[in-house]
Amino acid sequence: MDEPIRMFIGTSSNGEDNPTEAVYEYTLRKNCSRDLEIVWMRQTNDPENFFYGFKTEQWPTPFSGYRWVIAEYCNFEGRAIYTDCDMLNLKDISELWDINMKGKPLAARRGTRFGGHEFCVTLIDCARFGEVVKIPVERQRKIAEFHQRCIRQFSGNDSLVQAIDSRWNCLDGEDRDISDIWQLHWTSMPTQPWAPAWFTGDTEEHPRKDLVDLFESTLIEANNEGYNGAGSEYPPVFYNIIGR
């Protein structure tokens, strides 16, 4: 029997990203051919929670630094997939899970935003990661710049990061047809169609109406199937399609 696919999804603290959480989990489970275990990683005031107590003031999102603690969460065993929450899945995620990592601790697409690789979708070999990053989570919690340290260590380093097909992390659609996107990533915060409250800048219209239409129709499907956000932890948030 195949082992379950373990996914760790970084998200906001108080339900601000519920609409995209609903869409993402719904599409992941709809398209996945294997058992799928999802851990939602969010800031918390619960001292018993693994994700409690991190210095987050230098994180660009409320969850940026959590991807680097996943290997220890998994006891440095097996594989795990990290992604941001602002995604919509269009292809069986087990195909990403099964790729040949060629002995490297991470697999991610090449890109320019972070110096060579985009770690918003990352496949992790937990044992290999633990061999490279030796600072335990208990210490990571206290280092505000630890996220930036890891970006510098891994991004652009082809000896540590196996390249994956860019369609697994398609940034705002790029120039691809929807049929050629495997995992859509809403990277531009001002144009995210659900307008999360934690983003305090000016919002803008997304340049791809076809992608916004896809999000809106998929959210309706997800809500109708009972997906309302991370494990229905918060009350349902139905996206206001009319008059946003």
Side-chain angles (χ1 to χ4, degrees):
M1 186 180 206
D2 290 328
E3 62 177 324
I5 293 170
R6 299 184 295 186
M7 288 200 64
F8 291 78
I9 304 174
T11 191
S12 56
S13 306
N14 301 302
E16 299 96 331
D17 286 307
N18 266 18
T20 193
E21 291 171 10
V23 165
Y24 190 28
E25 181 174 5
Y26 169 67
T27 54
L28 280 169
R29 295 193 183 280
K30 177 182 177 181
N31 295 322
C32 190
S33 60
R34 308 242 291 269
D35 288 341
L36 184 63
E37 296 178 356
I38 295 177
V39 175
W40 298 92
M41 302 186 297
R42 63 177 81 247
Q43 292 181 27
T44 176
N45 292 321
D46 178 4
E48 301 300 316
N49 191 294
F50 187 85
F51 304 107
Y52 170 79
F54 285 81
K55 292 177 68 65
T56 64
E57 56 265 28
Q58 295 187 29
W59 294 5
T61 72
F63 47 82
S64 296
Y66 288 143
R67 73 200 74 193
W68 312 115
V69 308
I70 291 170
E72 185 170 330
Y73 185 102
C74 295
N75 297 313
F76 302 106
E77 297 174 349
R79 289 185 171 192
I81 295 174
Y82 166 80
T83 76
D84 298 347
C85 65
D86 48 359
M87 299 199 176
L88 190 156
N89 175 264
L90 293 160
K91 188 177 181 68
D92 188 342
I93 201 72
S94 68
E95 296 185 30
L96 173 62
W97 179 265
D98 289 332
I99 70 166
N100 184 355
M101 297 180 70
K102 300 183 179 179
K104 300 174 186 179
L106 302 180
R109 71 164 282 182
R110 290 191 174 94
T112 59
R113 294 188 307 155
F114 304 110
H117 290 93
E118 306 271 349
F119 295 110
C120 313
V121 174
T122 304
L123 180 62
I124 305 167
D125 180 320
C126 297
R128 284 286 294 120
F129 185 90
E131 294 170 1
V132 174
V133 177
K134 301 181 183 298
I135 298 178
V137 169
E138 190 55 42
R139 285 179 57 200
Q140 290 184 35
R141 287 190 175 96
K142 302 171 184 177
I143 304 173
E145 70 277 10
F146 193 79
H147 172 62
Q148 286 77 11
R149 286 189 193 178
C150 287
I151 292 291
R152 290 193 298 270
Q153 180 177 8
F154 286 103
S155 194
N157 190 335
D158 291 331
S159 67
L160 295 177
V161 184
Q162 176 61 28
I164 64 174
D165 194 303
S166 63
R167 287 174 288 184
W168 283 117
N169 185 7
C170 185
L171 312 179
D172 285 297
E174 299 176 50
D175 294 321
R176 297 186 181 275
D177 292 334
I178 290 175
S179 62
D180 197 36
I181 297 172
W182 298 352
Q183 180 112 326
L184 173 62
H185 183 190
W186 308 95
T187 58
S188 174
M189 295 175 193
T191 64
Q192 290 177 331
W194 62 98
W198 62 263
F199 175 69
T200 58
D202 295 330
T203 60
E204 303 170 9
E205 292 297 321
H206 196 281
R208 291 277 302 268
K209 185 178 184 301
D210 60 331
L211 299 182
V212 175
D213 289 345
L214 175 64
F215 177 85
E216 293 175 347
S217 63
T218 306
L219 180 58
I220 292 171
E221 289 180 27
N223 288 160
N224 288 340
E225 292 295 323
Y227 290 87
N228 300 311
S232 299
E233 185 175 347
Y234 300 102
V237 175
F238 289 89
Y239 180 69
N240 181 16
I241 295 173
I242 300 174
R244 174 178 174 265

